Amino acid sequence: MESRTARRATIRDVAERAQVSISTVSHAFSGSRPISEATRERIFRAATELGYDPNPSARSLRTGRSGIIGLILRPRFALTGTPDRAETFNRLVGSVATEMLRRKVGLIHVPDLHDPSVASVPMDGCIVAHPYGADEVLTELLRRDVPVITIEEDPERPEFTWAVRLDYTAVVSRLLDHLREQGARDIALLTGTEENAWNRRTRETYLDWSRQHDRTARTDLLSEGLDVDDAEAMIRSVLDSPERPDAVVVATSDFAALAAKVAAQRGIRVPEDLMIAALTDSEHSRAATPPITAMDLNHEGLAEQAVELMLARLAGAETPAEPLVLSPNLRLRGSTRRR
Amino acid sequence: MESRTARRATIRDVAERAQVSISTVSHAFSGSRPISEATRERIFRAATELGYDPNPSARSLRTGRSGIIGLILRPRFALTGTPDRAETFNRLVGSVATEMLRRKVGLIHVPDLHDPSVASVPMDGCIVAHPYGADEVLTELLRRDVPVITIEEDPERPEFTWAVRLDYTAVVSRLLDHLREQGARDIALLTGTEENAWNRRTRETYLDWSRQHDRTARTDLLSEGLDVDDAEAMIRSVLDSPERPDAVVVATSDFAALAAKVAAQRGIRVPEDLMIAALTDSEHSRAATPPITAMDLNHEGLAEQAVELMLARLAGAETPAEPLVLSPNLRLRGSTRRR
DNA sequence: GTGAAAGCGCTAACAT
DNA sequence: ATGTTAGCGCTTTCAC
């Protein structure tokens, strides 16, 4: 049974009960000016008896700050996608939430910036994860003067330096070098279709590397949004082609695992006939037979640094000269180890 | 370069620019009364030009609603713990976040209800996941008249029916029956120490089942907060004891995997000499050798139903007669399959 | 050490 | 179809 009549106690009720003015109550709670021991005591007792706690909206309206930081995850397949996408989403969201909780600041998932039917949300700043090129949500936030930090850079906004990003060039080059050392002659890239930094930078690195090593680059599109059957059909067409590559780098780890499965069905031995690597790591790559070499995107590190950068920004730090750079972790596994 | 002087546009600015009253602007945005086409047109143009968007705190203050739902995860090891705990945390947080995003309501992680230095947070209701017995955070929320939904029940608050819970009795009994059918004579339970429904109900079921089957119950405490070394020492003491059980049910899946490792070191064959099962599922149980039978807690289902129940509650639904019951999923694997 | 009062930006009741 | 206005609960300036 709930008390349906009870109105929530306000600062006014507390003041009345403690026989002081509301400003005294306010100051007692914020500690922003000296209060006599007797008065403070009366105030806190009254507050406890009434079950008072300050209304956060009133406070924010007055102070212009909410103490809350927003989070927007851009990849559109994060929500609708396969288990691999869910795992990535969970890990990213979980990392940011963990970090926020550690630092005791409120974190809010922003439901939909563009839908006018959705109430907007009181946030002091907003973290945008994996923006697209010239990302429209980012544009909107910037227009509204919301302090933004991005996790991964907007590939078409190099001048925006409030960002934490991954250095793909070094790690993807290392991966390709590794494949070459293991004897790969013909490396194909099955790249994703999302136009974010992850796809753009890894693809660019692959193309550069191929040029530098005088190899024919071969990229095919394998959309993150494909269902398993369509993805399998696409992979099949690559593995069945007359010029089958002897190594494939697949963007998402679950499709890399799918490639391993298709290879097994066809009697193509991994890694002897075909090496497989993924540009994201998940249970799928770890649990595949053989386990698949993968690039771990270090979501935990990105989350931690992004939150720290946001707090610094809100505390008035200067605009950085460059985004903060972290490194993905390359996990070499059986799928690319011939010797 | 940012404009540091620019004050955010308010409804007043828009009204002035569009040559209408502020109430007309308000109604134009909320659609709560008819506006002539010409006027609405002027208003939206002005709003766009000024980069106006309504201040959510002002709106909440006025309406008494924020459109935001809070989430509090109680298990204290969720944040500080091992990878298994992180995976569970991520999955739960991710599931709730996914569900909220689908329904386009804001989700806020409540940082710290008790710390007075932390600003409280504007929420219309709050989901509390895995409360302890007589949970103090739940008590506080109830005292404040915040509409609460719990994921899993507070074991000492059976009268609180705004809850979604798992039916452990049926599934744990099924697990024990399965172990018996596979030939287990002496089943030990390594239970967790968190006093939540998961530990309480599974332990009770184990004790009841043992009584019904005329078996000596044997439970040991294996705290979720232990680090790997301490957990390993504890597991060792069980496996090295003269009356070594021939089946162990371990609460957390990573410690179950640890048990498999310790058994392997000692030459104890799994499942022939020792069967192992876990009361939560994760990559650890799936990837162990052999893969470990585990109970999957169906976080996705819990999250979905909890969010739905919260929205119903906020929309004025009646107090349910009983909590909503879901079933965990039993995943039988090699660690308990002798034939 | 304490109080009075203005006002943050918005919604909605009551006007016309 | 549009305007006027009270007031949501708080912080903070100014006064004493």
Side-chain angles (χ1 to χ4, degrees):
Chain A
M1 181 65 101
E2 292 157 44
S3 56
R4 284 276 103 253
T5 49
R7 193 183 46 96
R8 286 286 289 283
T10 74
I11 199 172
R12 206 160 234 108
D13 303 321
V14 177
E16 206 164 304
R17 179 154 195 145
Q19 308 269 45
V20 292
S21 73
I22 60 167
S23 73
T24 303
V25 175
S26 173
H27 285 115
F29 270 86
S30 63
S32 51
R33 82 183 181 192
I35 309 275
S36 80
E37 196 40 59
T39 311
R40 124 178 295 109
E41 149 80 13
R42 282 210 319 287
I43 290 174
F44 284 133
R45 189 152 36 75
T48 309
E49 288 163 5
L50 293 170
Y52 169 75
D53 71 323
N55 180 316
S57 298
R59 178 187 303 220
S60 307
L61 176 57
R62 188 55 238 241
T63 62
R65 292 200 146 226
S66 65
I68 297 170
I69 294 174
L71 174 65
I72 299 180
L73 225 72
R74 293 295 287 145
R76 55 176 71 85
F77 300 121
L79 273 189
T80 56
T82 63
D84 168 273
R85 248 61 84 219
E87 183 183 331
T88 302
F89 175 86
N90 289 354
R91 199 171 142 203
L92 190 59
V93 168
S95 306
V96 175
T98 300
E99 197 53 32
M100 294 284 199
L101 252 22
R102 282 218 176 93
R103 295 171 179 266
K104 305 204 174 178
V105 303
L107 167 66
I108 187 161
H109 297 260
V110 180
D112 195 329
L113 212 53
H114 274 83
D115 187 336
S117 74
V118 170
S120 71
V121 122
M123 54 185 177
D124 295 342
C126 189
I127 295 176
V128 177
H130 301 283
Y132 295 106
D135 193 288
E136 52 177 5
V137 163
L138 190 49
T139 303
E140 172 69 12
L141 253 12
L142 261 19
R143 196 184 60 69
R144 292 195 197 168
D145 272 332
V146 177
V148 171
I149 301 293
T150 67
I151 288 181
E152 291 279 61
E153 78 278 18
D154 178 332
E156 290 177 19
R157 239 182 282 246
E159 76 289 357
F160 184 82
T161 55
W162 288 107
V164 184
R165 66 175 194 81
L166 290 174
D167 176 16
Y168 291 117
T169 310
V171 173
V172 171
S173 297
R174 233 166 68 218
L175 169 63
L176 295 170
D177 287 340
H178 163 78
L179 294 176
R180 185 176 46 103
E181 283 159 18
Q182 294 292 317
R185 319 245 83 235
D186 183 15
I187 306 173
L189 174 70
L190 268 46
T191 186
T193 54
E194 295 279 89
E195 277 302 312
N196 51 29
W198 173 63
N199 276 323
R200 297 259 284 240
R201 301 293 173 238
T202 54
R203 196 162 51 222
E204 285 166 10
T205 304
Y206 167 79
L207 294 174
D208 286 349
W209 185 93
S210 301
R211 206 170 306 119
Q212 277 163 31
H213 291 76
D214 250 342
R215 293 173 171 226
T216 310
R218 171 165 170 192
T219 72
D220 283 296
L221 255 32
L222 179 57
S223 167
E224 295 88 341
L226 252 36
D227 67 27
V228 176
D229 288 341
D230 290 342
E232 190 167 338
M234 198 271 140
I235 289 165
R236 211 173 273 148
S237 81
V238 172
L239 297 192
D240 288 346
S241 93
E243 312 100 26
R244 188 181 79 211
D246 61 355
V248 285
V249 176
V250 183
T252 66
S253 61
D254 54 348
F255 292 161
L258 206 52
K261 203 192 87 183
V262 170
Q265 287 167 355
R266 301 225 167 339
I268 302 173
R269 295 166 308 161
V270 176
E272 291 79 0
D273 306 327
L274 177 72
M275 293 193 257
I276 302 178
L279 296 180
T280 180
D281 197 16
S282 76
E283 186 170 351
H284 296 88
S285 39
R286 292 187 287 270
T289 316
I292 294 173
T293 288
M295 183 167 72
D296 180 296
L297 262 28
N298 192 6
H299 299 292
E300 292 75 13
L302 288 170
E304 187 182 334
Q305 297 303 321
V307 172
E308 180 157 339
L309 196 55
M310 174 58 83
L311 295 180
R313 176 163 195 182
L314 293 179
E318 291 294 308
T319 305
E322 295 289 334
L324 194 60
V325 180
L326 299 186
S327 182
N329 294 117
L330 189 55
R331 315 275 187 213
L332 297 181
R333 303 204 178 95
S335 69
T336 61
R337 211 136 38 193
R338 285 189 180 162
R339 350 161 184 163
Chain B
M1 181 65 101
E2 291 157 42
S3 56
R4 285 273 103 252
T5 48
R7 194 183 46 94
R8 288 287 288 281
T10 75
I11 198 172
R12 207 160 233 107
D13 302 321
V14 177
E16 205 165 304
R17 179 153 195 147
Q19 308 270 45
V20 293
S21 72
I22 60 168
S23 75
T24 303
V25 176
S26 172
H27 286 114
F29 271 84
S30 64
S32 52
R33 79 183 185 192
I35 308 276
S36 79
E37 196 40 59
T39 312
R40 121 177 299 108
E41 147 81 15
R42 281 210 318 288
I43 290 174
F44 285 132
R45 189 151 37 75
T48 308
E49 287 164 4
L50 293 170
Y52 169 75
D53 70 321
N55 179 317
S57 298
R59 175 184 302 205
S60 306
L61 177 58
R62 185 58 236 237
T63 61
R65 293 201 145 226
S66 65
I68 297 171
I69 294 174
L71 174 65
I72 300 181
L73 226 71
R74 293 294 288 142
R76 54 177 72 83
F77 301 121
L79 274 189
T80 56
T82 62
D84 168 273
R85 248 62 84 218
E87 182 182 331
T88 302
F89 175 86
N90 289 355
R91 198 170 142 202
L92 191 59
V93 168
S95 307
V96 175
T98 301
E99 197 54 32
M100 294 281 200
L101 253 20
R102 280 219 178 92
R103 294 169 179 269
K104 305 203 177 181
V105 302
L107 167 66
I108 186 159
H109 296 260
V110 181
D112 195 330
L113 211 52
H114 274 83
D115 187 335
S117 73
V118 170
S120 71
V121 121
M123 53 186 178
D124 294 343
C126 189
I127 294 177
V128 177
H130 301 285
Y132 294 107
D135 194 287
E136 52 176 2
V137 163
L138 190 49
T139 304
E140 171 69 12
L141 253 12
L142 261 20
R143 194 184 63 67
R144 291 194 198 169
D145 273 332
V146 177
V148 171
I149 301 294
T150 66
I151 288 181
E152 291 281 59
E153 77 278 19
D154 177 333
E156 292 176 18
R157 239 182 281 245
E159 77 287 357
F160 185 83
T161 55
W162 288 107
V164 183
R165 67 175 192 80
L166 290 174
D167 176 16
Y168 290 117
T169 310
V171 174
V172 172
S173 297
R174 232 165 70 218
L175 169 62
L176 295 170
D177 287 341
H178 164 76
L179 294 176
R180 187 174 48 99
E181 283 160 18
Q182 294 292 317
R185 319 245 84 232
D186 182 16
I187 305 173
L189 174 70
L190 269 45
T191 185
T193 55
E194 294 279 88
E195 277 302 311
N196 51 29
W198 174 64
N199 277 322
R200 298 260 286 241
R201 302 290 174 240
T202 54
R203 196 161 54 221
E204 286 166 10
T205 303
Y206 167 78
L207 294 174
D208 287 350
W209 186 92
S210 300
R211 207 172 304 120
Q212 279 164 29
H213 291 77
D214 249 343
R215 294 176 172 223
T216 309
R218 171 166 172 192
T219 72
D220 283 296
L221 255 34
L222 179 58
S223 167
E224 295 88 342
L226 253 37
D227 66 26
V228 175
D229 289 341
D230 291 342
E232 189 167 339
M234 198 273 138
I235 288 165
R236 213 174 269 147
S237 81
V238 171
L239 296 192
D240 288 347
S241 94
E243 311 99 27
R244 189 182 78 211
D246 61 356
V248 286
V249 177
V250 183
T252 64
S253 62
D254 53 349
F255 292 162
L258 208 51
K261 203 191 86 183
V262 170
Q265 286 168 356
R266 302 230 165 334
I268 302 171
R269 295 166 308 161
V270 176
E272 292 80 359
D273 308 325
L274 177 72
M275 293 194 257
I276 301 178
L279 296 179
T280 180
D281 198 17
S282 76
E283 185 171 352
H284 296 89
S285 38
R286 291 186 287 270
T289 318
I292 294 173
T293 287
M295 182 168 73
D296 181 296
L297 264 26
N298 192 6
H299 300 290
E300 291 75 14
L302 289 171
E304 186 181 335
Q305 296 303 321
V307 172
E308 180 156 339
L309 196 54
M310 173 60 83
L311 294 180
R313 176 164 195 181
L314 293 178
E318 291 294 309
T319 306
E322 296 288 334
L324 194 61
V325 180
L326 298 187
S327 181
N329 295 117
L330 189 55
R331 315 276 186 213
L332 297 181
R333 303 203 179 97
S335 69
T336 62
R337 210 138 38 192
R338 286 190 180 160
R339 350 163 185 161

